[in-house]
Amino acid sequence: MISLKALGAHTLAFLYATTQVVNGCTVFFVGKDASTDGSVMITHSNDGEFDTDPRLVNVPARHTTSSTRPIYFSPESYPRHVGTTRQIPEYYPIGDQVEFEPIGFIPVGSSSSTYAYLEQTYGAVNEHQVGIGESTCSAIFGAIPLGAPNGTALLSIDELTRIAMERSTTARQAITLMGGLAVKYGFYGAGASEGTGEALVVSDPNEVWMFHILPDDTGTSAIWAAQLIPSTGFGVLANMFVLRELDPQNTSEFLMSSSVHAVAQEYGWWHPSDGLLDFTQIYSDGEYSHQYYSGRRMWGAYHLAAPSLSLSPVYDDLISSPYPLFVTPDELIGLTDLFKFHRYTYQNTPYDLGAVGNLAAGPFGSPNRW
């Protein structure tokens, strides 16, 4: 079993965030030189509408003689998995539950052992302190999972994060593994229209990376990119892509699939003469649900962590980049600050969800929205 003490402070922040009532999947990330104690910290508030499986499950390390790993469809609802093949008692069938059948298999290569990790809807953190926070995003392409009518793609973000937990000792390794598998076997997002893309913050004890992925235009592969966050950086991920200009020559700070540029150039959206490709400008379909669905949360986070920047809470279009990928916080950030950030309901701003006179707050001034 994984020792929570050994996993470090960023894990505790994650565990806190998964138990709260939230309005969206929001992730905060803190570089080690931006934190009060030198820890890398990430969080994840897992929204998932009303039927998300709330269980946090310990997945033991395994040794297997099998040359393949089964891949299952990811329903993102309760139960997230039913079966005995994973040897996790929490997922054993109860009553009339039927065991899930694999929709495909991937080879496991020369490694026959996996690492222990904690799992919720997604792989959360493993014994090497590789951690992941997730936020579903809009994207311009979508794909259908294998096993469904006209299905073309094998891997969801749920399964990709589990594989990363099983086989990665660093954030960079996790990103390279997830991206390579998605390109080879196909990636599908959580939604049929909105939510066809995914964004992850991937961390280890030393680094924080921002990772974006969406299906490619054929539905059989993937487009992905990742950027290293400076150790002094703080940022927020709130259901929309945030990666901007990608530098393929700077391999120490940027990782990406060849399809990032190939697809954009094929459709005439980008040409090498244009300079660096803006990932969000090309591949995001903007905020889903409504304007400010993502941007207001981004503004709120930076309003708390770096008020000296005086960023505007209003904008015309979030794709036009009104907010940065990361900032240097005005003061070093601790674990309790992340608790406060997740509980923030825009108190003492014009957007205070519980303000007197705000009819949506009801007769008791509740900031909660249901």
Side-chain angles (χ1 to χ4, degrees):
M1 179 175 291
I2 296 178
S3 165
L4 294 184
K5 182 177 180 181
L7 287 174
H10 76 279
T11 305
L12 299 182
F14 169 85
L15 293 178
Y16 153 75
T18 59
T19 62
Q20 304 305 299
V21 175
V22 294
N23 290 324
C25 293
T26 307
V27 177
F28 298 119
F29 54 91
V30 185
K32 63 181 182 179
D33 293 325
S35 68
T36 55
D37 64 356
S39 295
V40 168
M41 294 187 288
I42 65 172
T43 73
H44 176 203
S45 59
N46 190 7
D47 183 13
E49 306 302 334
F50 62 90
D51 59 351
T52 299
D53 189 332
R55 293 174 293 178
L56 184 68
V57 175
N58 182 73
V59 180
R62 301 286 188 202
H63 181 81
T64 178
T65 59
S66 175
S67 61
T68 61
R69 182 197 188 280
I71 302 296
Y72 297 92
F73 172 72
S74 303
E76 299 207 339
S77 58
Y78 180 88
R80 75 172 70 102
H81 182 76
V82 178
T84 57
T85 56
R86 296 185 66 193
Q87 302 177 51
I88 301 172
E90 288 85 350
Y91 296 145
Y92 289 175
I94 299 174
D96 60 355
Q97 289 181 340
V98 177
E99 294 198 32
F100 287 14
E101 294 290 336
I103 62 172
F105 295 84
I106 61 170
V108 296
S110 59
S111 176
S112 59
S113 299
T114 60
Y115 303 122
Y117 66 98
L118 296 176
E119 172 181 298
Q120 39 111 12
T121 303
Y122 316 94
V125 63
N126 74 7
E127 61 181 285
H128 294 283
Q129 297 192 51
V130 176
I132 288 176
E134 178 275 348
S135 195
T136 303
C137 303
S138 72
I140 60 171
F141 299 129
I144 299 172
L146 292 174
N150 302 314
T152 57
L154 178 62
L155 293 162
S156 67
I157 202 66
D158 313 50
E159 284 283 59
L160 285 173
T161 58
R162 294 179 191 125
I163 296 168
M165 293 293 102
E166 293 168 2
R167 301 185 176 277
S168 302
T169 59
T170 67
R172 182 185 290 263
Q173 183 183 17
I175 289 166
T176 302
L177 177 60
M178 291 188 291
L181 289 172
V183 167
K184 185 172 183 178
Y185 297 103
F187 170 80
Y188 65 92
S193 54
E194 293 181 340
T196 59
E198 288 284 352
L200 304 175
V201 176
V202 187
S203 69
D204 60 35
N206 296 302
E207 294 185 340
V208 179
W209 287 78
M210 180 65 70
F211 172 81
H212 291 355
I213 188 168
L214 69 153
D216 77 343
D217 54 333
T218 70
T220 63
S221 188
I223 299 166
W224 67 271
Q227 181 175 345
L228 177 65
I229 304 299
S231 63
T232 56
F234 163 83
V236 56
L237 175 62
N239 296 114
M240 184 169 158
F241 290 156
V242 288
L243 288 180
R244 291 294 172 176
E245 293 186 337
L246 305 178
D247 184 355
Q249 303 305 314
N250 183 357
T251 56
S252 64
E253 296 183 15
F254 293 90
L255 301 169
M256 67 200 73
S257 61
S258 60
S259 54
V260 167
H261 293 86
V263 173
Q265 189 167 359
E266 178 184 352
Y267 281 86
W269 299 331
W270 172 85
H271 188 272
S273 62
D274 297 332
L276 298 181
L277 181 146
D278 184 322
F279 188 96
T280 295
Q281 189 76 43
I282 297 295
Y283 292 114
S284 174
D285 200 32
E287 292 175 278
Y288 60 78
S289 189
H290 56 76
Q291 187 179 15
Y292 300 119
Y293 179 80
S294 300
R296 186 55 46 79
R297 280 179 280 158
M298 295 179 69
W299 171 81
Y302 292 138
H303 176 70
L304 291 172
S308 63
L309 295 178
S310 299
L311 296 174
S312 175
V314 297
Y315 51 84
D316 293 327
D317 180 4
L318 200 55
I319 290 181
S320 64
S321 189
Y323 304 121
L325 169 60
F326 60 85
V327 301
T328 300
D330 289 358
E331 298 181 2
L332 296 179
I333 293 173
L335 187 62
T336 55
D337 294 316
L338 296 175
F339 277 62
K340 181 178 72 173
F341 292 177
H342 271 287
R343 291 171 174 155
Y344 185 52
T345 57
Y346 311 103
Q347 296 94 324
N348 302 314
T349 76
Y351 315 105
D352 190 338
L353 297 178
V356 174
N358 186 339
L359 295 180
F364 304 106
S366 172
N368 295 322
R369 299 291 185 268
W370 305 96

